[in-house]
Amino acid sequence: MSLLVLSAADVAKVTAKFTPDELVALMAGVFSRLSERHREIYQPHRTAVPMEHHTSLFMPSRITSVGTTVKVVSVPSADAPKDVKEKGLPATTIVLEERLGSVKAVVNARRLTALRNAAGSLLSTRVVLPDDATPRKILAIGAGAQIQAHLALFLTAYPSIDSCAIFNRSRNARLESLRELLDTTFSSVRVTTGVLPKAHSKDGETEFFDAVKHANIIITATSSTRPLFPSKAVQKGTHLCLIGSYKPEMHEIDTDLVKRAGVVIVDQKAACLQEAGELIDAELSDADLVELGELFDYRAKDQSWIPREGPIEEIQTAGDVTIFKSVGVGVQDVAIACAVVERAISEKIGVLIDEYDQDD
């Protein structure tokens, strides 16, 4: 039995070959199974192991018709050295061989989590926006891997976008690198960057609120514990993708904005009601949420999805903005990692270690 090893560079080569439609269809399959409470899904609770400068999380997941994986992510502790924090979150996904039970592939997953989240966000946008929608302005808050993946996917999927504003807590090298990448890749898009206004300060407030006011799509991926902007700054018809919060004390938007949506689209109700600070603070219940997988019909045979007009119209008329809140679900990792491995094998990308499991 051979073992495939995919480095970060290998993963970048492989994922570049996926179209937005392919990635959206991949996540449609995941969310459809989740909302149907499909028996072929297994998501045991993650295991946390403390290390010297990290907490390592071990997250096994399985979709019987797709595959079995274990993702390992190491989250730097608050008192970790600066150089450790700057290296971000090391992540690796192990993909198992279904028949033999051995390890089939080891995949660098630093950017895979961001990519599967971006694909989920794009799916939510495709669901609530009309087929002929032509959004022109997008606002992203944050400058990490999540924002990079989201903007690359959204700007590819919506060539109508001609203005992209990115605001971050500081004007650091990561923000500048992201701007340069987008300038190079999407030359027809005007990319601007700025620094988020600090609490109790008016510096930069006008520029930021102007970007919020004119955005058709807003994407947030921060660990903020206070709302990033007031509800009144957001124009009617805006679609928001909230990716950052995963603890009750985290809030990227205020309760007024949550209420404006009427009904909030989520990846998984139970997880969001326990982890999404904005929804907890707004005292939302199960009845105030709809799972993304409930808004379309999925056909596994040809990996296609068809919007359910009735439920979608209810979302569109429930409020004057639409919101997708994601805390991430483990089976998304199964779908993206297995798809990457299969594409890598067909494209002969990566390092193949022959007879890895041969002991004689």
Side-chain angles (χ1 to χ4, degrees):
M1 179 69 193
S2 60
L3 172 70
L4 178 65
V5 179
L6 297 176
S7 67
D10 293 330
V11 170
K13 288 178 186 176
V14 175
T15 54
K17 297 179 180 293
F18 285 93
T19 67
D21 286 345
E22 288 176 317
L23 292 169
V24 163
L26 201 61
M27 290 304 115
V30 172
F31 291 121
S32 175
R33 291 180 176 96
L34 269 176
S35 294
E36 290 174 0
R37 307 296 184 265
H38 220 287
R39 291 169 62 185
E40 68 173 51
I41 281 183
Y42 298 86
Q43 288 192 112
H45 193 69
R46 66 191 181 196
T47 298
V49 176
M51 297 175 63
E52 183 178 0
H53 298 309
H54 297 82
T55 296
S56 286
L57 306 175
F58 296 80
M59 296 169 278
S61 298
R62 171 170 168 77
I63 304 175
T64 56
S65 61
V66 178
T68 305
T69 67
V70 180
K71 186 169 78 169
V72 183
V73 180
S74 294
V75 182
S77 55
D79 59 354
K82 182 180 179 182
D83 65 311
V84 171
K85 290 183 178 180
E86 287 178 347
K87 291 185 181 297
L89 277 64
T92 298
T93 297
I94 298 168
V95 179
L96 300 184
E97 206 285 326
E98 286 296 311
R99 182 170 175 273
L100 300 175
S102 55
V103 176
K104 178 180 181 178
V106 176
V107 184
N108 185 293
R110 275 186 181 269
R111 296 198 177 274
L112 278 189
T113 302
L115 182 61
R116 52 92 147 159
N117 285 344
S121 293
L122 182 57
L123 173 60
S124 80
T125 309
R126 288 264 179 91
V127 164
V128 298
L129 263 59
D131 288 340
D132 59 353
T134 55
R136 293 190 53 232
K137 298 182 184 298
I138 190 168
L139 167 65
I141 303 178
Q146 292 283 356
I147 291 299
Q148 180 176 325
H150 274 76
L151 290 179
L153 198 57
F154 273 71
L155 293 178
T156 301
Y158 289 109
S160 59
I161 296 175
D162 56 23
S163 174
C164 172
I166 311 167
F167 282 79
N168 194 37
R169 279 180 289 189
S170 63
R171 197 176 286 280
N172 54 20
R174 196 164 54 178
L175 178 63
E176 183 59 23
S177 176
L178 177 56
R179 185 193 62 78
E180 290 176 357
L181 175 66
L182 295 176
D183 274 340
T184 302
T185 311
F186 303 97
S187 57
S188 63
V189 179
R190 179 175 177 266
V191 180
T192 58
T193 60
V195 176
L196 288 169
K198 290 182 171 55
H200 312 300
S201 172
K202 298 291 185 181
D203 291 346
E205 195 175 79
T206 301
E207 180 187 9
F208 175 59
F209 285 166
D210 189 60
V212 174
K213 177 183 176 181
H214 292 99
N216 306 117
I217 298 170
I218 297 176
I219 301 165
T220 63
T222 75
S223 57
S224 182
T225 55
R226 65 181 181 89
L228 298 165
F229 46 80
S231 172
K232 63 183 180 182
V234 180
Q235 67 171 323
K236 293 180 180 179
T238 299
H239 180 59
L240 298 97
C241 298
L242 311 179
I243 309 301
S245 72
Y246 58 91
K247 293 181 180 179
E249 64 268 23
M250 293 179 175
H251 306 81
E252 292 191 297
I253 62 172
D254 61 25
T255 294
D256 286 347
L257 187 52
V258 173
K259 297 290 189 180
R260 277 178 61 185
V263 177
V264 176
I265 306 169
V266 296
D267 49 8
Q268 192 174 36
K269 287 184 180 181
C272 283
L273 287 174
Q274 290 180 356
E275 301 173 12
E278 304 92 346
L279 309 189
I280 295 170
D281 218 41
E283 299 181 343
L284 297 194
S285 67
D286 191 281
D288 301 310
L289 310 179
V290 60
E291 291 187 342
L292 182 54
E294 297 177 290
L295 299 177
F296 54 84
D297 292 307
Y298 179 73
R299 296 195 309 184
K301 186 176 180 179
D302 58 0
Q303 293 188 322
S304 64
W305 59 281
I306 301 171
R308 294 176 178 169
E309 294 183 5
I312 291 173
E313 186 176 352
E314 290 179 13
I315 294 290
Q316 293 169 333
T317 57
D320 64 5
V321 298
T322 51
I323 295 173
F324 172 58
K325 174 57 197 168
S326 171
V327 293
V329 288
V331 285
Q332 288 180 273
D333 297 315
V334 177
I336 192 71
C338 290
V340 165
V341 168
E342 292 308 311
R343 185 68 62 92
I345 291 172
S346 67
E347 299 282 346
K348 294 181 171 55
I349 295 173
V351 176
L352 197 64
I353 303 174
D354 292 324
E355 300 181 351
Y356 168 78
D357 204 28
Q358 193 79 27
D359 61 359
D360 55 12

